[in-house]
Amino acid sequence: MKTLCTTTNPQPIYVSARTAMPTRCLLAIAFGFPMLLMPGCKKEETPAVEVTVQAGHPEQGAMSEHVTVDAILAPLAQAAIEPKITAPVRKFYVQRGARVKEGQLLATLENADLAAAALDNKGSFMAAEAAFATATKAQVPEDTQKAELDFAQAKANLDLNQSIVNSRKQLFSEGAIPGRDLDTAQAALVQAQAAYDSAAKHLESVRNVSREAALKAAQGQLSSAEGKLKGADAQVSYSEIHSPINGVITDRPLFAGETAAAGAPLLTVMDTSSLLAKAHLAQSVVQQMKLGDEAELQVPGIADPVPAKVSLISPALDPGSTTVEVWLKIDNKAGKLKVGTPVKASITGKTVAQALKVPASAVLTAQDGSKSVMLVGSDGAAHKKPVTVGIADGDDMQIVSGLAPTDTVITGGAYGLDDGTKVKVGPAEADDEAKPAGGKGGGAD
């Protein structure tokens, strides 16, 4: 019978049953002898990990919040001039790029037919004026005077016939005249009374109705003729294109002789003495802004930032994007800036006179949104400290509470650093730039 013994030799060694026990003992002595020679078996301790970080004390000083947003330059005022009539262009008085003033004549359209219609209406107006003068100064006064004279004559005739009747009644009662003469006088009195009543009625109607109606009719004819004349003159005026604002001609799509269609832009005038950078911001950001806030624009092709001011904050949200439109006004009297240029605007918002600030890379954000920083403690280890942040200004962030000016804040290398890790302050390693920024992760939890 053979027993298999395992050694460090990859080949198995077979021994007989008689020699199995002595062999095992020899092997045990062979492997255990070095252990007996050692003074004792001790487990090797792992050295403590020490991480190199960058750190510094918080700074104190004035700090302003800056909101950065993309915007497009737009003119202060713009007028796309559309003719109200369709007619060929007779002449242009300006070219594209010309500076114009409010009320300046820019172009004229063919208007011979309109001028003829205006002349016709002018003649009708003059005739209406003459008819009005005749009615008010001659016809109406004459009719009134005639009615008054007829009334006076009828009254006199009535009075005469009344006296005749009275005298004949006296004579008839005395028997001096026959009854036939009295009857004749009474009949004449009745006729005189009827003529008097008719004259009085006519005079009343002339004074209260006819005279007023005649004057209104004459005035109506005159007003109608005047309205037609003004309409014809307006049509003629539409053939002359004037600038409604001060500005620069930015578009002139037609040439002289081509037909300008009513409702289609013939000339475009823009006031570029000042420009507006129109941007859309979140409502929460706009709440801290006010009119007159300072801003700067980064314009492509211009090295220095261009100053601007907030000139308008929309009182209502945009229904599509639920953002607030903000206008920044920029002086452009030199004409260096062009309408339609995309720019990057930086608006100065809330300002804190004495702010405690740290680099934004030092602030860590947890998954629940809470903020914290890592401090270098007196024991040389990193310790997590919850903080409350305020406004942000580029690479700086305000610390409202949770931090003292004497604290040593880890500004670089805090990402993924566990609380209690031994640290030493030193320069950043070359590969640190490849690591994610400290304010992005929640690994510091």
Side-chain angles (χ1 to χ4, degrees), residues 16-303:
S16 63
R18 291 178 297 177
T19 59
M21 288 301 295
T23 304
R24 289 195 187 99
C25 294
L26 291 174
L27 290 175
I29 295 173
F31 283 105
F33 183 73
M35 300 297 294
L36 295 174
L37 297 178
M38 296 178 63
C41 293
K42 292 184 180 180
K43 184 177 180 181
E44 184 179 354
E45 296 182 358
T46 303
V49 178
E50 191 175 50
V51 180
T52 302
V53 296
Q54 297 76 53
H57 296 294
E59 297 181 3
Q60 276 188 311
M63 183 178 180
S64 298
E65 183 179 25
H66 289 84
V67 180
T68 303
V69 64
D70 294 327
I72 301 293
L73 295 184
L76 183 64
Q78 177 178 342
I81 306 174
E82 302 174 353
K84 292 187 176 182
I85 59 173
T86 298
V89 179
R90 178 191 297 174
K91 186 177 181 181
F92 279 111
Y93 299 96
V94 291
Q95 297 289 340
R96 183 180 295 184
R99 292 192 172 274
V100 297
K101 295 183 178 181
E102 181 180 354
Q104 180 178 337
L105 180 63
L106 307 180
T108 55
L109 308 179
E110 294 293 344
N111 60 359
D113 55 339
L114 301 176
L119 183 61
D120 180 33
N121 284 277
K122 184 177 181 181
S124 299
F125 174 69
M126 294 175 64
E129 277 187 323
F132 178 78
T134 301
T136 56
K137 296 180 181 180
Q139 183 177 353
V140 172
E142 287 178 0
D143 292 343
T144 303
Q145 185 179 10
K146 185 177 181 303
E148 291 174 348
L149 291 175
D150 291 343
F151 174 76
Q153 185 179 358
K155 188 175 185 304
N157 190 30
L158 176 62
D159 293 342
L160 176 61
N161 281 275
Q162 183 66 51
S163 64
I164 292 174
V165 169
N166 292 336
S167 63
R168 288 190 178 185
K169 281 183 178 180
Q170 181 66 28
L171 293 173
F172 177 75
S173 63
E174 295 176 355
I177 59 173
R180 183 178 63 254
D181 292 342
L182 178 59
D183 293 339
T184 301
Q186 288 178 341
L189 177 62
V190 172
Q191 293 177 354
Q193 182 67 46
Y196 172 79
D197 292 341
S198 176
K201 189 68 175 177
H202 179 66
L203 178 60
E204 182 182 2
S205 65
V206 167
R207 286 178 175 176
N208 298 331
V209 181
S210 299
R211 181 175 182 274
E212 184 178 356
L215 292 176
K216 286 185 176 180
Q219 182 64 52
Q221 292 177 355
L222 178 63
S223 298
S224 177
E226 185 180 8
K228 292 179 180 178
L229 176 60
K230 288 183 176 180
D233 289 340
Q235 291 292 320
V236 175
S237 69
Y238 294 155
S239 64
E240 296 182 348
I241 310 300
H242 296 265
S243 176
I245 59 173
N246 297 328
V248 179
I249 303 296
T250 59
D251 193 17
R252 202 199 79 176
L254 299 180
F255 292 94
E258 295 182 319
T259 299
L266 178 63
L267 292 160
T268 301
V269 183
M270 291 184 182
D271 183 359
T272 57
S273 59
S274 295
L275 297 184
L276 299 175
K278 298 183 178 182
H280 288 79
L281 299 172
Q283 183 182 7
S284 58
V285 176
V286 176
Q287 293 292 350
Q288 304 297 328
M289 293 184 182
K290 63 182 183 299
L291 297 181
D293 281 348
E294 300 290 338
E296 289 184 346
L297 303 181
Q298 295 294 336
V299 183
I302 300 179

Side-chain angles (χ1 to χ4, degrees), residues 326-341:
V326 178
W327 291 3
L328 307 177
K329 189 174 183 180
I330 312 104
D331 181 46
N332 190 40
K333 291 184 175 62
K336 292 183 178 180
L337 305 179
K338 306 301 180 185
V339 173
T341 303

Side-chain angles (χ1 to χ4, degrees), residues 316-406:
L317 295 179
D318 182 85
S321 60
T322 64
T323 56
V324 181
E325 187 172 25
V326 178
W327 291 3
L328 307 177
K329 189 174 183 180
I330 312 104
D331 181 46
N332 190 40
K333 291 184 175 62
K336 292 183 178 180
L337 305 179
K338 306 301 180 185
V339 173
T341 303
V343 298
K344 188 172 290 294
S346 177
I347 307 172
T348 303
K350 182 180 179 181
T351 299
V352 180
Q354 287 295 327
L356 191 66
K357 52 187 176 180
V358 298
S361 59
V363 180
L364 305 175
T365 304
Q367 292 182 354
D368 60 357
S370 60
K371 307 291 184 180
S372 62
V373 296
M374 299 298 288
L375 304 180
V376 179
S378 58
D379 57 354
H383 298 284
K384 182 179 178 181
K385 185 69 176 294
V387 294
T388 302
V389 299
I391 63 175
D393 182 11
D395 293 334
D396 292 332
M397 185 168 290
Q398 180 195 10
I399 303 299
V400 178
S401 62
L403 201 61
T406 56

